Amino acid sequence: MSTNEELFARAQRVIPGGVNSPVRAFRAVGGTPRFVARAQGAYFWDAEGRRHIDYIGSWGPMILGHGHPAVLEAVQKAALDGFSFGAPTEREIELAEAIIAQVPSVEQVRLVSSGTEAGMSALRLARGATGRSKIVKFEGCYHGHADALLVKAGSGLATFGHPTSAGVPAEVVQHTLVLEYNNVAQLEAAFDANPREIACVMIEPIAGNMNFVRASVPFMKRLRELCTQHGTLLVFDEVMTGFRVALGSAQSVYAKLIPGFKPDMSVFGKVIGGGMPLAAFGATKDVMSQLAPLGPVYQAGTLSGNPVATACGLATLKEISKPGFFEALSKKTRSLVDGLLGAAKGAGVPMVGDSEGGMFGFFFASELPQNYGVVMATDKERFNRFFHGMLDRGVYLAPALYEAGFVSAAHSEADIAATVEAAAAALRA
Ligand SMILES: *Cc1c(COP(=O)(O)O)cnc(C)c1O
């Protein structure tokens, strides 16, 4: 049997860093990544046959756990009918209908194959629909790796950003304004400095790429007002939160707190594919009709609306739409966070945490962070030790302090209890 170390060494010879997406390499926490051999329910087994309770779930998609029978059956059946046609299929309509049924702000969607592709296409559509170039994003929010979105804040308030990746020319991000999350004053200053010039503001409504940080209600309310006032499209990147924090996604959470609240465009991925490569972006018919073949904004994809992926997504959405699904998932996730906080308290370690639906975060800090700078200032040393302490005890958490965690319907009360027990032991150590 191969060991994780052998596989990692072999992988590094043929794949840069040994991985096909950087965070998998454990660079933030150190150590050897676990190579997954198979998964079932709430667990995966690594190359050495060790079982782990999985709190990543492919970074969100596996909301039903691994190998859910109804999803498996739908995928197997679809595969027998063909992998890809490059021609329309009925299941694409069904998936579009299933998404729209839960998200009232979205009248039409286009299906694509990754969150990156969906975010990039949404951005082009927002620019095409408004005829404007400037865009706003927030530090710590991740919207995939499209060039224009790989940007960090410039030196001053309301200045344009700098690329965060080599290979992105400064010219390509010259229209991208990067602001601090939850900072109303900066938001107002940005609109003041660029009146009626901003095509869109893209935001993770509950940010899951800086651990777990909610947009505050006053911030979201002001953001909505300013976008409306300036003819700017408010784009919710719900690739992570969509069908994960609630059946109606994060926008339904804000609609409960801010009467009449709706974003103008939405981006989905992860859960809507149930673990297959599938994502989508959507808006009103008016905005979506700007897309080719109806309108002047070009967008296309060989594998878009893939028949096996849509089968997987549809079967997943069907299961999570059953009555009581999110109530149960939310309760379980909340009990995990409460358990972790209790274990930390017992060990005399400062920890705070939060959750919504099946998504959670915890920080080694005494107050919940409101933006990226504060997240990154939390205790990294302690996080890394905790991460490895949990890994040694068979609990697989996200291998970086700036990532969220995910609970699935397959996690049992016993799994949560075992996790909390492991946490208590790891924190004492
Ligand atoms: C994962 C994620 C993306 C990118 O999706 P990929 O499928 O990895 O390209 C975009 N936005 C958010 C909020 C995400 O969490």
Side-chain angles (χ1 to χ4, degrees):
M1 191 164 58
S2 302
T3 65
N4 293 308
E5 267 177 28
E6 278 164 8
L7 289 172
F8 195 36
R10 192 172 135 209
Q12 288 177 84
R13 285 198 282 278
V14 289
I15 298 170
V19 291
N20 285 311
S21 198
V23 74
R24 298 178 194 172
F26 275 28
R27 295 294 280 254
V29 291
T32 306
R34 300 303 185 259
F35 281 70
V36 179
R38 67 187 181 88
Q40 183 57 51
Y43 315 119
F44 74 79
W45 285 263
D46 70 12
E48 294 163 18
R50 271 202 78 201
R51 195 192 84 170
H52 300 265
I53 305 177
D54 181 12
Y55 288 106
I56 298 192
S58 185
W59 300 96
M62 311 314 295
I63 192 164
L64 299 172
H66 299 281
H68 188 282
V71 179
L72 213 49
E73 193 193 327
V75 167
Q76 284 168 335
K77 203 157 158 278
L80 291 175
D81 290 334
F83 287 1
S84 188
F85 314 117
T89 59
E90 186 172 358
R91 264 202 299 279
E92 294 163 72
I93 313 170
E94 289 174 351
L95 184 58
E97 287 168 349
I99 295 169
I100 290 163
Q102 305 300 345
V103 186
S105 70
V106 172
E107 292 173 357
Q108 291 195 329
V109 289
R110 175 147 293 169
L111 305 180
V112 296
S113 302
S114 75
T116 291
E117 197 186 348
M120 178 187 81
S121 304
L123 186 61
R124 184 181 307 134
L125 176 57
R127 283 171 158 167
T130 57
R132 301 175 185 178
S133 299
K134 293 178 184 174
I135 58 170
V136 167
K137 83 172 283 283
F138 298 95
E139 193 135 54
C141 288
Y142 178 66
H143 304 296
H145 60 90
D147 283 356
L149 296 166
L150 289 180
V151 195
K152 63 171 184 277
S155 46
L157 178 66
T159 59
F160 288 86
H162 301 303
T164 50
S165 167
V168 178
E171 293 81 3
V172 173
V173 301
Q174 67 181 342
H175 302 298
T176 309
L177 194 53
V178 186
L179 307 177
E180 190 174 77
Y181 201 72
N182 277 328
N183 186 328
V184 173
Q186 270 196 20
L187 191 64
E188 289 177 339
F191 275 98
D192 274 350
N194 304 277
R196 303 197 64 81
E197 289 174 31
I198 299 167
C200 69
V201 175
M202 205 178 244
I203 186 167
E204 281 185 77
I206 299 173
N209 288 285
M210 49 174 155
N211 199 322
F212 184 108
V213 182
R214 293 169 192 269
S216 76
V217 170
F219 177 75
M220 192 59 91
K221 207 167 161 220
R222 190 70 185 124
L223 176 57
R224 180 63 275 179
E225 284 167 6
L226 285 165
C227 284
T228 303
Q229 186 186 329
H230 288 262
T232 294
L233 297 171
L234 175 55
V235 184
F236 261 32
D237 181 348
E238 299 229 44
V239 172
M240 189 179 283
T241 53
F243 299 87
R244 164 55 74 177
V245 299
L247 190 55
S249 304
Q251 51 198 275
S252 72
V253 174
Y254 284 93
K256 279 194 194 129
L257 301 166
I258 307 168
F261 180 89
K262 270 184 195 179
D264 299 305
M265 292 177 75
S266 300
V267 185
F268 300 101
K270 300 196 167 104
V271 169
I272 65 161
M276 289 273 183
L278 199 148
F281 60 102
T284 57
K285 271 189 191 136
D286 193 35
V287 170
M288 293 304 279
S289 64
Q290 297 298 309
L291 271 185
L294 297 180
V297 179
Y298 191 68
Q299 190 279 332
T302 302
L303 300 177
S304 290
N306 178 271
V308 184
T310 48
C312 186
L314 265 172
T316 302
L317 294 192
K318 192 171 166 203
E319 292 301 315
I320 70 173
S321 304
K322 290 182 174 167
F325 179 90
F326 272 94
E327 287 78 358
L329 184 66
S330 304
K331 202 168 146 237
K332 199 154 45 180
T333 308
R334 189 69 242 171
S335 79
L336 171 69
V337 173
D338 289 344
L340 291 176
L341 299 186
K345 201 165 180 207
V349 173
M351 188 193 271
V352 287
D354 196 2
S355 71
E356 187 71 42
M359 176 173 160
F360 70 92
F362 63 89
F363 302 89
F364 288 104
S366 47
E367 227 176 283
L368 282 173
Q370 294 298 305
N371 63 55
Y372 181 71
V374 179
V375 170
M376 296 313 280
T378 61
D379 195 336
K380 178 167 180 280
E381 276 305 304
R382 193 166 247 167
F383 174 84
N384 290 353
R385 269 183 285 139
F386 181 63
F387 168 81
H388 280 291
M390 294 299 272
L391 191 61
D392 290 344
R393 291 170 177 83
V395 179
Y396 194 74
L397 298 169
L401 68 77
Y402 48 81
E403 303 285 2
F406 305 96
V407 174
S408 79
H411 288 80
S412 65
E413 294 298 335
D415 292 326
I416 304 285
T419 303
V420 170
E421 207 172 294
L427 288 163
R428 273 197 305 272

